[in-house]
Amino acid sequence: MIEDLVAVIDRSWSVLESRSGPDFVLSSFPFREQLLRDPRTSQILSDMRRENEESLAALTTELERQRATLGAIFDELVAQKPAVVPTVPDEHGYDRTEAAIRRRLETRPRETVDDAWGVAQEYDDDDRLGQAVAIIKGLVDKAELDELRARTDVVHQSIDRAKRARRIYFETSSGAALARVERDLADLHPPINEPNSHVELARLCRVNDKPLGRIYDVVFKNRRVAPGSDDAKSIEHKIGELRADLQRVVEEIRRRVGAERSLLSVVNRYRQKCQWYDAERLRALAENGSGAATPEDRLSETLATYLFDHGLNPLTRPLFGRLLPDIVDANTKFSFYVEAKQYKQGAPAYLLQGMQQVWDMLDHLRGSGHDVLEAFYVIYRRGGPRYSFPPRVQHRDRVVHIVVVDIAAPPQRGSNAPPTRTFEVSELLPGAAIPTGAHAPSTRAATVRRAKKRRRGRHGAQGGRGG
């Protein structure tokens, strides 16, 4: 299925890439809708948006930290050498008074409506902090306070470094490219807004008398542009930027789909190896292993070593806060987490609880510096009923692959296996109710048999009473 998805993306992009001029712009709308309709590519786009927001948030956090540090430096300057701070603006009207400096050190409320359709700007900065740095640095030099001068220099360098990091991300990443694409397309085809709303005014500032506005006129108002004119050149340049951003997004989608395909293929290869060649050994390992390790620990160790042999660096049961995931590799861009369960008797509630454990762990890892993009829920069947799961469960921006490794003895596999109980996606989503007690669901076939038996009983009782 993943190969089919890559082929569809490639064909669609090939068609779009062959378009030129306004036709390319028009064709970009259905291409984006196609990416949003497929849950796999839609989730990748969601990840890109989140990464762009996190990049901007990292810059904002660092600027706030340096703002506080600079404020403390200024407080010390005022306490030690108050006379160096002007009490009135200079003859050119430039205000370096204490009140003006403190205003520059205040955090300006962020006007999200300035970027109507999403965070597509490099950073939201009016450079008041930069002005404060320059002023305070000059006052510190005048006061000849070497220790404060050194600390001010560190603040200046830290701010520059944070902005450079954002510039690198903004110019090279798929997340920023996607933000620009989606903002441009929304500017060209906006929803209905109040004419004088901040959202509409922000859009008009980006469109009126700008290349995007000229594209709007050509596409939607049939305006003719003379070939070789300045308008034609500005339109072509803007379309070239849109094309480059879309290409970066497509390349990243293919890369991430390919990474998912690669990792999933490794796990599926492990599953096949276990079922074809190692089932007896794994059953013995789970049943008779020495030490305090549980059967699940021993089985998951075999997966960890298999992943290591295939070039990954998984950690087994690392401590994250107070939680111990079975296997985690959070050191690569395409990180993953594995939760393993095993059973040899009917255990539907236990397996459903394991799925909730997966979601809880993903929530726990989010924002911890060890975020993972994919989770694998690996279930070892040593015996008992068979359970069928959807291969992939997605909730918002998180994906869980479910892999059942059937290592039961030959008499309990194949045509001799007991009936299969099929789990629905709704039972596997976060917060789904988990059945408890002796009447927890076992197999769909068994449920049908019980229903037929009850019906036969009712018919027999009625016949006896009638006789």
Side-chain angles (χ1 to χ4, degrees):
M1 293 179 64
I2 291 178
E3 287 76 7
D4 293 341
L5 175 61
V6 172
V8 169
I9 294 172
D10 286 347
R11 285 197 302 271
S12 299
W13 173 244
S14 178
V15 171
L16 176 59
E17 200 174 24
S18 67
R19 311 288 186 188
S20 61
D23 192 28
F24 176 84
V25 177
L26 277 174
S27 300
S28 298
F29 286 96
F31 178 75
R32 175 176 176 269
E33 289 301 318
Q34 175 186 334
L35 296 179
L36 290 174
R37 280 195 300 270
D38 186 281
R40 291 161 295 184
T41 52
S42 178
Q43 184 244 322
I44 292 173
L45 294 180
S46 177
D47 287 342
M48 291 181 189
R49 294 188 199 98
R50 174 173 52 82
E51 290 160 11
N52 182 54
E53 291 165 3
E54 289 172 351
S55 170
L56 186 58
L59 171 63
T60 302
T61 299
E62 181 61 18
L63 293 184
E64 287 304 306
R65 191 169 75 87
Q66 297 305 327
R67 194 188 306 274
T69 302
L70 190 63
I73 292 172
F74 185 61
D75 289 341
E76 293 182 40
L77 173 65
V78 171
Q80 295 181 42
K81 295 288 184 74
V84 303
V85 182
T87 56
V88 296
D90 62 21
E91 64 273 17
H92 303 293
Y94 191 64
D95 196 344
R96 297 185 298 158
T97 63
E98 180 177 350
I101 293 172
R102 295 199 182 280
R103 283 196 298 273
R104 289 184 174 93
L105 288 171
E106 293 174 355
T107 301
R108 181 175 66 89
R110 186 176 170 199
E111 296 289 344
T112 55
V113 293
D114 287 347
D115 187 48
W117 319 116
V119 184
Q121 74 272 35
E122 184 173 347
Y123 45 76
D124 183 24
D125 182 15
D126 58 3
D127 202 38
R128 291 191 305 164
L129 180 58
Q131 295 169 11
V133 170
I135 293 171
I136 293 173
K137 189 174 182 179
L139 296 177
V140 167
D141 287 341
K142 183 178 179 181
E144 298 182 342
L145 297 173
D146 292 341
E147 191 266 340
L148 292 187
R149 181 186 295 115
R151 288 165 56 191
T152 305
D153 286 342
V154 170
V155 169
H156 191 190
Q157 293 175 38
S158 300
I159 292 173
D160 283 350
R161 179 175 176 78
K163 288 187 175 182
R164 287 197 303 271
R166 175 60 181 168
R167 165 61 61 87
I168 291 169
Y169 180 90
F170 189 75
E171 294 295 340
T172 64
S173 74
S174 60
L178 176 64
R180 291 191 292 269
V181 166
E182 294 192 321
R183 188 187 67 182
D184 285 349
L185 295 183
D187 280 346
L188 289 169
H189 183 45
I192 298 173
N193 292 298
E194 290 293 330
N196 295 318
S197 68
H198 289 296
V199 171
E200 183 59 19
L201 292 176
R203 171 184 171 270
L204 291 176
C205 288
R206 293 193 297 272
V207 173
N208 281 358
D209 200 29
K210 301 286 176 61
L212 201 63
R214 297 183 186 102
I215 293 173
Y216 181 91
D217 290 342
V218 170
V219 172
F220 296 109
K221 295 185 177 180
N222 296 319
R223 178 193 168 198
R224 296 184 179 276
V225 177
S229 64
D230 289 343
D231 281 356
K233 292 177 182 177
S234 67
I235 287 174
E236 194 59 36
H237 180 73
K238 181 62 181 177
I239 293 175
E241 291 179 343
L242 177 62
R243 184 188 297 273
D245 281 337
L246 259 175
Q247 182 174 6
R248 179 167 290 158
V249 170
V250 171
E251 288 174 352
E252 184 66 10
I253 289 174
R254 292 188 85 260
R255 188 159 74 99
R256 297 195 188 201
V257 170
E260 177 180 322
R261 173 176 55 193
S262 299
L263 186 55
L264 185 58
S265 67
V266 170
V267 177
N268 281 331
R269 187 74 173 172
Y270 164 80
R271 169 181 172 271
Q272 186 177 10
K273 179 176 181 288
C274 291
Q275 296 181 165
W276 284 17
Y277 305 110
D278 292 343
E280 184 175 354
R281 180 180 67 83
L282 293 179
R283 288 197 305 273
L285 178 67
E287 192 71 34
N288 305 315
S290 59
T294 66
E296 281 164 4
D297 292 341
R298 293 191 285 268
L299 291 171
S300 64
E301 287 281 355
T302 67
L303 174 55
T305 57
Y306 187 89
L307 295 174
F308 181 83
D309 289 342
H310 283 75
L312 300 168
N313 292 287
L315 299 175
T316 56
R317 289 174 293 284
L319 184 63
F320 286 96
R322 296 186 177 183
L323 299 179
L324 289 169
D326 289 333
I327 301 173
V328 168
D329 185 348
N331 296 319
T332 63
K333 185 173 181 63
F334 300 105
S335 53
F336 64 91
Y337 145 58
V338 177
E339 186 64 41
K341 298 295 179 188
Q342 60 81 39
Y343 72 95
K344 61 178 180 179
Q345 296 177 346
Y350 173 68
L351 298 180
L352 289 172
Q353 181 62 51
M355 189 67 179
Q356 295 303 313
Q357 185 179 340
V358 173
W359 296 120
D360 290 343
M361 179 59 70
L362 289 173
D363 283 339
H364 184 73
L365 293 174
R366 185 192 295 273
S368 67
H370 300 283
D371 290 12
V372 297
L373 299 178
E374 290 184 281
F376 290 82
Y377 185 30
V378 179
I379 300 169
Y380 297 87
R381 175 184 177 247
R382 296 166 53 201
R386 293 187 304 183
Y387 296 114
S388 175
F389 292 85
R392 188 179 191 276
V393 179
Q394 177 178 335
H395 179 70
R396 295 177 182 170
D397 61 345
R398 297 174 295 172
V399 172
V400 180
H401 301 283
I402 305 178
V403 179
V404 178
V405 183
D406 193 348
I407 56 173
Q412 301 181 60
R413 296 165 69 182
S415 60
N416 297 320
T420 298
R421 196 282 214 200
T422 300
F423 289 92
E424 305 297 336
V425 171
S426 59
E427 300 177 85
L428 304 168
L429 294 173
I434 299 173
T436 58
H439 299 290
S442 53
T443 67
R444 180 170 294 178
T447 302
V448 172
R449 288 197 301 270
R450 286 195 296 268
K452 290 181 177 178
K453 185 176 180 181
R454 285 195 298 270
R455 285 197 297 270
R456 286 197 300 269
R458 286 196 297 270
H459 294 328
Q462 293 169 354
R465 284 193 299 269

